[in-house]
Amino acid sequence: MAATGNLSEEQVHCSICLDVFTDPVSIPCGHNFCQSCILGYWKSSPLFQCPMCKKTFCKRPDVGVNTVLREIAEQFKEIKEVFCDVCLGEGRPKAAKSCLACLTSYCEEHLESHSARFSKHELMAPVGNMEDRMCPKHQRLLELFCKRDQACVCVLCTETDHRAHYTVPVEREWTEKKAQLKRTEMDVLQMIQDRTKKVEEIKDSVELSKASARREAEDSMRVVSELVRSIQRTQARLLLSIEDKQRQMEGRAQGFVAELEREIAELQRRKTDMESVARADHIHFLKNFPALIAPPSVKDWSETSVPTDACVGVIRRSVSTLEAAINATLDELAESEIKRIQKYAVEVTLDPDSANPWLQLSQDRHQVRHLGAWQDLPDCPERFDTVVIVLGREGFTSGRHYWEVQVGEKDDWYLGVARSSINRKGRISVSTAQGYWALAMKKGQGYRVSTSPPTPLPLDPKPKRVGVYVDYEEGQVSFYDVRARTHIYTFKDTFGEKVLPFFYLYCCDKASDTIVVCPVNEKGLIKQS
């Protein structure tokens, strides 16, 4: 490999035009390019960026020609020039012509003697490596290009191995291929620019995500701290309530003890009187006997007791108060959550090719109802032939998506998402094990989700407008009561393939039982009705 000083040939090539430098310039990151190449690159790019290391500059750098590198590049260009093959030693003169018959390049002096001796030899502009330009089979110049075999051939090749093949002059093919290479180069440049832009978008997203994470951390600290304070307040109130209950109980017990002690003292006096009368004479005894045998004026204490667990129910009532506070916090968080996920709103349209023949879709593909009659529709592979299901036309393989569904007063339905590979023929079981993540309302059974087995949900009030949120990367499907601004249920799973919105309707005969996929307005938020 040729070299000048400590530089190799690759080091004097521009990475944009892939040729030896012309007026090379250095940019702040240390990489070198032709002056016209880098200025043209920056002109076609939205960023002032290095094509090699992708370092971005705030403003376009001022570039000047690197004179040392230019001299080295010029030396390389001289090395690539064709010299006379006849002349010997250093300082050989440049070749004036190359002979196609001799496969030799000649300077002006040797060309004159060569032409005198071989006047019929074909000459051409001087080129290096003459052997590479000759047909190895016929020793003729490779001046044609075979379109069929995509190979350079000579004139004699077209009469043998490449007979009847379409050939064109190599210069024409070179022009076409060079133009094709330039278009490919522009496509590659565009892909580089697109990916560079995407890198910036991702970096911006990471910064926004960091900011969002900080806000989430601050909000979580605020919410958890408030919950801790609420628990501490509840605990303090609970302790005060227990102490108050205990004081009340002790007060009652002390009253009972004082009254009992008074009665005991009174009974002790009567006992003493009885002992004294018992020792008296007959007359004294008989006079006092009626008073001594009269029932003493005391209470019946047989049903009186002091409870040993006076604080029964206090803890439950306190925790119930705490539960109410937590539920109120959850409702606030759910409302904030719905506002945030609405920015991922998408327009969901129904796929008529998947709709069971019992189902009727609206013209705009946003409404579906059970027709109550079978329609004669083509039995395509996408269509559900037994179960009254219809899928959304657009599926999701990444990202976050949100839409809302008006279920109204209808009391027999499933809605959610399903894997695109689900079975669409015969009987179907709607469960996560079968690739369905759904919320359902079954008449007579109430609300439930499609876990295995199903999990009942005590929802009150009944949701009439349900929000569905899908985070594909997180494997999350969440349902919300849009009117009540509350969270209903969240699945956490792994999808593994495209998922589609899906709707499962049971028979009904009222137009009000139509299910509506709510449209998205111009600002990308769900229209509220």
Side-chain angles (χ1 to χ4, degrees), residues 128-186:
N129 302 322
M130 287 291 295
E131 295 83 358
D132 295 341
R133 301 171 186 272
M134 304 302 291
C135 175
K137 185 174 182 180
H138 303 109
Q139 294 303 308
R140 297 292 296 271
L141 182 65
L142 297 171
E143 53 186 338
L144 299 173
F145 185 82
C146 178
K147 288 284 193 179
R148 174 177 172 180
D149 296 330
Q150 292 291 296
C152 294
V153 298
C154 69
V155 174
L156 294 181
C157 289
T158 61
E159 299 176 1
T160 55
D161 297 340
H162 298 270
R163 183 186 296 274
H165 292 185
Y166 177 50
T167 61
V168 296
V170 290
E171 291 81 2
R172 185 196 301 177
E173 186 66 20
W174 173 80
T175 302
E176 293 178 359
K177 287 289 195 293
K178 192 167 184 181
Q180 181 181 351
L181 181 63
K182 186 63 177 179
R183 291 193 297 271
T184 304
E185 180 185 353
M186 295 304 296

Side-chain angles (χ1 to χ4, degrees), residues 358-360 368-373 409-412 443 505-515:
W358 287 94
L359 297 177
Q360 182 183 56
V368 57
R369 72 184 184 96
H370 198 296
L371 186 59
E409 299 295 334
K410 184 168 175 54
D411 54 9
D412 268 322
K443 189 173 184 178
L505 283 73
Y506 289 89
C507 185
C508 59
D509 54 7
K510 296 187 299 181
S512 61
D513 282 339
T514 298
I515 281 183

Side-chain angles (χ1 to χ4, degrees), residues 396-416:
F396 315 121
T397 56
S398 64
R400 299 175 176 181
H401 313 276
Y402 176 79
W403 63 96
E404 293 182 1
V405 183
Q406 188 81 23
V407 295
E409 299 295 334
K410 184 168 175 54
D411 54 9
D412 268 322
W413 47 263
Y414 283 88
L415 60 88

